[in-house]
Amino acid sequence: MLPHLDSAHNLARWLVGNEQDAEDAVQDSYLRALTYFDSFHGEDGRAWLLAIVRHTCYAQLRKKVQHGLQHSEALAASLELEMVEDHSPDPEALALRNSSRIAIERALAQLPPEFREALVLREMEGMSYREIARITDVPVGTVMSRLARGRKRLQDMLTAKVRKETT
């Protein structure tokens, strides 16, 4: 399961909203995977592990809500945007690329969790519709619908941002 550590961390970071909680979720997920390894029947290990990560993240978020923290406030307050280091000699191109990445990450963070997780699993982790369906425990048609609706909302948010900046 170690080859899937980066994928597990990426999904956790997008679901829980900050680096420290994501690390905790991944650690808890790996412990659960080890504990329940006998339930793994040789299917896709990555999908099995990411399903555990997903459940662990949502359990963490439920605990936060029960303790008086609102998920959206915790997400907004603690979202850390990663900047991709680019060795491009053109500073203007670098600035545009970084601002685009930040805009996409901010818009993605504003999506409802079901759309965000579907987009992260498909676009960032390159998982198939079937794998996403297995991880999220929903039919493939629901995955397709969530991806389409998530992409549309993301596009609408980014388009609105560009319109606002040009006026």
Side-chain angles (χ1 to χ4, degrees), residues 79-92:
L79 182 61
E80 297 175 13
L81 297 174
E82 295 179 7
M83 302 297 285
V84 174
E85 187 175 336
D86 184 22
H87 300 289
S88 172
D90 182 5
E92 184 178 2

Side-chain angles (χ1 to χ4, degrees), residues 5-77:
L5 184 61
D6 289 339
S7 295
H9 183 265
N10 189 39
L11 177 61
R13 188 176 62 83
W14 280 106
L15 293 180
V16 299
N18 70 58
E19 193 67 33
Q20 186 175 6
D21 289 345
E23 289 173 3
D24 291 344
V26 170
Q27 184 175 9
D28 290 347
S29 298
Y30 270 79
L31 287 173
R32 288 180 184 180
L34 183 61
T35 302
Y36 298 104
F37 190 73
D38 58 337
S39 69
F40 177 63
H41 300 293
E43 64 269 7
D44 183 10
R46 183 175 179 213
W48 181 76
L49 177 65
L50 292 180
I52 294 171
V53 170
R54 178 182 181 269
H55 291 293
T56 302
C57 289
Y58 284 128
Q60 272 188 359
L61 292 172
R62 279 191 297 276
K63 285 180 186 176
K64 279 188 176 184
V65 170
Q66 290 171 354
H67 288 95
L69 293 175
Q70 296 298 321
H71 172 244
S72 60
E73 291 172 9
L75 180 62

Side-chain angles (χ1 to χ4, degrees), residues 98-156:
N98 284 341
S99 67
S100 296
R101 179 182 171 100
I102 290 169
I104 291 169
E105 287 185 355
R106 285 184 179 158
L108 187 60
Q110 292 175 14
L111 289 176
E114 63 272 12
F115 297 150
R116 185 173 57 242
E117 74 182 358
L119 285 169
V120 168
L121 290 170
R122 178 69 180 157
E123 304 302 339
M124 295 179 181
E125 296 302 324
M127 302 197 83
S128 70
Y129 292 172
R130 273 200 189 144
E131 290 171 322
I132 297 169
R134 197 172 327 141
I135 291 167
T136 58
D137 198 29
V138 297
V140 173
T142 301
V143 170
M144 294 168 66
S145 173
R146 287 179 180 177
L147 284 168
R149 292 171 63 197
R151 287 174 180 142
K152 176 69 173 137
R153 283 192 182 189
L154 193 62
Q155 178 184 16
D156 291 346

